[in-house]
């Protein structure tokens, strides 16, 4: 009888263990299912929020309108668009995107589009060259040179001043202006930006209209810093365009897209024809 009762205890123990294992597996499967459903919902909301943010950018670029703009879409999402002028005493051309080789970018020294409120006087220092652009020749990212063309003075008959900078000696034809090569982090308001080159003497501006900066040999990031005047007060550069931020929301998910909208580039015919000196 004792042996029979012992066997009954074993069966009960096996049943309990089996139930525990089955319950554990069931809870694990249920938990994974809930997690997958939650992730699927989050991914769906994230995609809807991103699409809503894109719709906000498209709304501004295609239809215009007064900013800020907000709109509720039909798929349980909405967006709000805001913008601010891109100006200041220190700026990154193209809002930090590379300036295209041989194409360049305009730097407004006066107000777009009527050339009013011109930069009466000031000194500008230019930094360029991404951190990996250290080679004067291939292979590897080639160190760019810069051509700078400035229109200033009377709008009807402006004077033209040209500068040519290249820290790779003997590579660029023409008389080079002095520039330095090294590692520079000049922009206190934009941490993490490192440049390989800078001009040695700040460029003096008098009644400035517009400036064009053209990278040679390679596209590159370019920064401009307004130096303090004789009274110690740097003159900020006029607006170079707008930084547009669109925030899309769906459920508890928020996605943001930032878009830099520069003013239209002036036709190259406005500048001298012989600006490329490679």
């Amino acid at each position: 009888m004792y042996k029979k009762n012992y066997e009954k205890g074993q069966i009960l123990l096996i049943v309990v263990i089996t139930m525990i294992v089955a319950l554990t597996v069931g809870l694990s499967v249920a938990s994974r299912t809930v997690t997958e459903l939650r992730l699927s919902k989050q991914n769906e909301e994230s995609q809807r929020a991103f699409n809503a943010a894109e719709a906000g950018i498209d709304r501004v670029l295609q239809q215009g309108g007064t900013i800020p703009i907000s709109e509720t879409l039909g798929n349980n999402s909405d967006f709000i668009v805001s913008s601010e002028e891109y100006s200041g005493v220190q700026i990154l051309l193209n809002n930090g995107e590379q300036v295209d080789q041989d194409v360049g970018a305009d730097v407004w020294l006066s107000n777009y589009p009527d050339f009013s409120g011109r930069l009466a006087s000031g000194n500008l220092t230019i930094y360029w060259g991404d951190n990996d652009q250290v080679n004067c020749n291939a292979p590897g990212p080639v160190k760019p040179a810069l051509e700078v063309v400035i229109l200033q003075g009377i709008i009807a008959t402006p004077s033209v001043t040209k500068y040519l900078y290249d820290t790779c000696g003997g590579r660029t034809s023409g008389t080079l202006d002095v520039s330095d090569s090294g590692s520079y982090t000049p922009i206190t308001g934009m941490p993490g930006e490192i440049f390989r080159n800078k001009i040695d003497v700040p460029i003096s501006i008098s009644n400035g209209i517009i400036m064009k900066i053209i990278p040679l040999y390679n596209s590159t990031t370019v920064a401009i810093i307004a130096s303090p005047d004789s009274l110690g007060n740097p003159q900020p550069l006029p607006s170079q365009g707008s930084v547009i931020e669109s925030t899309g929301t769906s459920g508890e998910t928020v996605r943001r897209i930032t878009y830099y909208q520069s003013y239209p580039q002036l036709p190259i015919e406005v500048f001298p024809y012989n600006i490329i000196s490679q």
Side-chain angles (χ1 to χ4, degrees), residues 41-54 73 75-78 248-251 255:
K41 181 181 179 181
Q42 289 177 346
N43 290 336
E44 183 180 350
E45 288 183 344
S46 178
Q47 187 61 47
R48 281 204 301 261
F50 181 78
N51 291 339
E54 281 191 323
L73 305 177
N75 60 347
N76 193 32
S77 65
D78 56 72
T249 304
S250 178
R255 297 288 297 274

Side-chain angles (χ1 to χ4, degrees), residues 56-57 60-61 64-70 80-87 239 241-247 257-263:
I57 296 293
V60 173
L61 297 181
T66 303
I67 296 177
I69 300 173
S70 60
I80 181 169
V81 182
S82 61
S83 72
E84 61 180 30
E85 297 295 317
Y86 190 60
S87 61
S239 173
S242 299
V243 178
I244 302 172
E245 183 178 86
S246 179
T247 302
I257 297 177
T258 300
Y259 176 83
Y260 175 63
Q261 186 177 34
S262 64
Y263 296 129

Side-chain angles (χ1 to χ4, degrees), residues 59-150:
R59 170 74 166 78
V60 173
L61 297 181
Q62 296 180 12
Q63 302 180 31
T66 303
I67 296 177
I69 300 173
S70 60
E71 186 174 324
T72 299
L73 305 177
N75 60 347
N76 193 32
S77 65
D78 56 72
F79 66 77
I80 181 169
V81 182
S82 61
S83 72
E84 61 180 30
E85 297 295 317
Y86 190 60
S87 61
V89 297
Q90 48 187 19
I91 64 170
L92 285 167
L93 292 192
N94 291 346
N95 196 34
E97 296 296 325
Q98 285 191 335
V99 179
D100 290 337
Q101 171 189 350
D102 298 336
V103 176
D106 293 344
V107 180
W108 285 83
L109 307 177
S110 57
N111 293 328
Y112 174 86
D114 59 0
F115 303 105
S116 64
R118 288 184 283 165
L119 190 64
S121 63
N123 297 308
L124 303 179
T125 302
I126 302 175
Y127 297 81
W128 79 97
D130 296 337
N131 194 39
D132 63 341
Q133 295 175 332
V134 296
N135 302 319
C136 289
N137 299 288
V142 175
K143 182 184 292 188
L146 279 192
E147 182 125 21
V148 179
V149 185
I150 302 172

